Amino acid sequence: VACKIFEEIFSYQKSTRSPRKIILSFPSMSRQTDLENLANVLQSNECGLLLGIEDAVSELYPSSPAPYISITFPAESDVEPNMVVKESEQASCDDARTNTEDWVNNFLGLYRLCPYTSSVTRAAVGLKSVGVPVGGVHITVGHTGYCNIPSKRKLNAAEVTSLFWSEVSFLLNSPQDEWATSLLVFPAYDLDFDAFIEICDKIVEPSVVATKSTDYIGRAWFHPLYNADAVGHSTVIAGHAIPHKMVEQFRASSNDGNKKELHYDSLARANDLVRQTPHATINILRRSQLTKAGDYEKSLGHRGPKPNSVYVRNAVRLSDSLLGNE
């Protein structure tokens, strides 16, 4: 349902914007409240402004013969012509894919920042005992050319969200031994961390929660300029890195008697570095695999990793290897 709705919003933003209203019906929908929740997300001020939506309302069976959502767009008196983005303004799709593959192989995998991913062809490794096969990392590159004209910002936001839900559908309908996880890459947002995170936090994440898709997927935001301090969170929030202060607290409370000195500034830089991909990226994970990984770690007992130790380990590892533990 979400995939279809955001696909239609994206199509509208690419069109001549006439008529101003689209109505989508879902006769076979079993969980109607998801449609009502999505309508609430779309009619929120933040989401409405980002996507260029004036209103969104739903009506459910039996009040209507079939559940449907009606989305209204504002009248546009000054629709700008399509903008042509010069090739030099952003990485090509091929370059973005190559850069991302290199990051997975020679950074994420090399430093074992994710204990279950070693390369683009080997994700969900080490979980065979809990029934999870090894699979690949599926990489999809968005084509939107970023532009700061208001109508184009709406088009950009619509494409990011539409591609996100399309990729969710693709991943969950693919065999696990073919694709374990997905990376959605948006080079057009490489220089605008705030704009990218705004879409992730104010459209993508609310739509995931509204449809109870947290039962099926995990998600994480990455960006070349990722900065947890700029996000400003002090507790764990979906999609984002663990705040620096929390990682520092995890380290302080660990029982590692061989702890090396690690200054807070170095820890913060390393913690950000884990999320600094070559391009603006959304990682989509299978919830079933995350659950199985948790079960596997619990089965190890005292031999397994301590809670939250991966965040400390990654910060120390990158600080030692790349930052020289300044």
Side-chain angles (χ1 to χ4, degrees):
V1 172
C3 184
K4 180 62 176 177
I5 289 173
F6 286 106
E7 178 185 298
E8 289 296 324
I9 293 172
F10 179 43
S11 295
Y12 175 86
Q13 293 293 2
K14 290 193 297 181
S15 71
T16 57
R17 307 186 179 199
S18 179
R20 289 176 49 208
K21 180 180 289 187
I22 57 176
I23 298 176
L24 300 171
S25 177
F26 301 93
S28 61
M29 188 174 188
S30 59
R31 203 164 60 191
Q32 297 188 61
T33 53
D34 287 2
L35 194 62
E36 188 174 38
N37 293 337
L38 274 174
N40 290 335
V41 169
L42 294 175
Q43 68 182 219
S44 69
N45 289 336
E46 293 174 334
C47 190
L49 286 172
L50 286 169
L51 289 173
I53 293 173
E54 186 175 276
D55 195 18
V57 295
S58 65
E59 190 163 351
L60 311 181
Y61 177 84
S63 298
S64 169
Y68 74 86
I69 186 169
S70 174
I71 303 171
T72 305
F73 299 88
E76 295 284 352
S77 58
D78 55 345
V79 178
E80 298 87 353
N82 289 333
M83 299 294 295
V84 177
V85 179
K86 296 179 182 178
E87 188 175 342
S88 60
E89 291 183 7
Q90 67 180 68
S92 70
C93 288
D94 287 344
D95 287 343
R97 185 181 304 278
T98 299
N99 294 341
T100 301
E101 289 176 349
D102 183 68
W103 178 82
V104 173
N105 292 333
N106 299 315
F107 182 74
L108 185 75
L110 179 65
Y111 292 103
R112 298 305 303 272
L113 302 180
C114 172
Y116 303 109
T117 298
S118 59
S119 69
V120 291
T121 59
R122 291 184 58 78
V125 298
L127 297 174
K128 184 178 179 180
S129 63
V130 287
V132 178
V134 173
V137 179
H138 188 256
I139 300 173
T140 298
V141 181
H143 299 278
T144 292
Y146 182 71
C147 179
N148 205 33
I149 293 175
S151 66
K152 293 302 171 183
R153 289 202 300 269
K154 298 166 188 173
L155 175 65
N156 295 338
E159 186 193 19
V160 170
T161 316
S162 177
L163 282 179
F164 170 82
W165 281 106
S166 177
E167 188 68 19
V168 168
S169 178
F170 172 85
L171 180 65
L172 295 183
N173 285 287
S174 298
Q176 292 190 62
D177 58 359
E178 183 176 6
W179 303 115
T181 186
S182 290
L183 292 175
L184 265 175
V185 182
F186 299 96
Y189 280 92
D190 288 354
L191 300 180
D192 201 334
F193 174 64
D194 291 341
F196 181 68
I197 293 302
E198 185 175 39
I199 293 170
C200 293
D201 286 345
K202 296 180 179 179
I203 308 177
V204 174
E205 181 59 21
S207 67
V208 169
V209 174
T211 55
K212 298 181 177 63
S213 295
T214 51
D215 293 343
Y216 307 103
I217 61 168
R219 54 268 173 235
W221 327 136
F222 295 79
H223 195 277
L225 305 176
Y226 193 93
N227 184 329
D229 286 338
V231 176
H233 58 311
S234 58
T235 58
V236 177
I237 57 176
H240 283 283
I242 299 293
H244 305 322
K245 287 291 186 181
M246 288 187 69
V247 178
E248 184 181 47
Q249 291 167 6
F250 296 154
R251 178 169 165 77
S253 63
S254 69
N255 296 321
D256 184 0
N258 298 315
K259 284 191 291 190
K260 296 179 181 179
E261 182 179 6
L262 180 60
H263 299 296
Y264 177 78
D265 288 348
S266 294
L267 180 148
R269 287 187 61 194
N271 194 44
D272 280 338
L273 189 58
V274 175
R275 292 297 183 107
Q276 291 175 356
T277 43
H279 307 288
T281 300
I282 297 175
N283 181 204
I284 304 170
L285 306 105
R286 297 176 186 265
R287 175 62 62 192
S288 61
Q289 293 187 351
L290 295 174
T291 301
K292 290 288 189 179
D295 293 343
Y296 169 71
E297 292 177 3
K298 288 179 182 177
S299 73
L300 296 175
H302 69 276
R303 296 178 293 113
K306 302 296 186 293
N308 304 310
S309 62
V310 66
Y311 309 113
V312 176
R313 185 204 65 188
N314 287 349
V316 171
R317 186 169 293 173
L318 291 182
S319 181
D320 287 345
S321 302
L322 300 180
L323 301 178
N325 199 7
E326 300 169 352

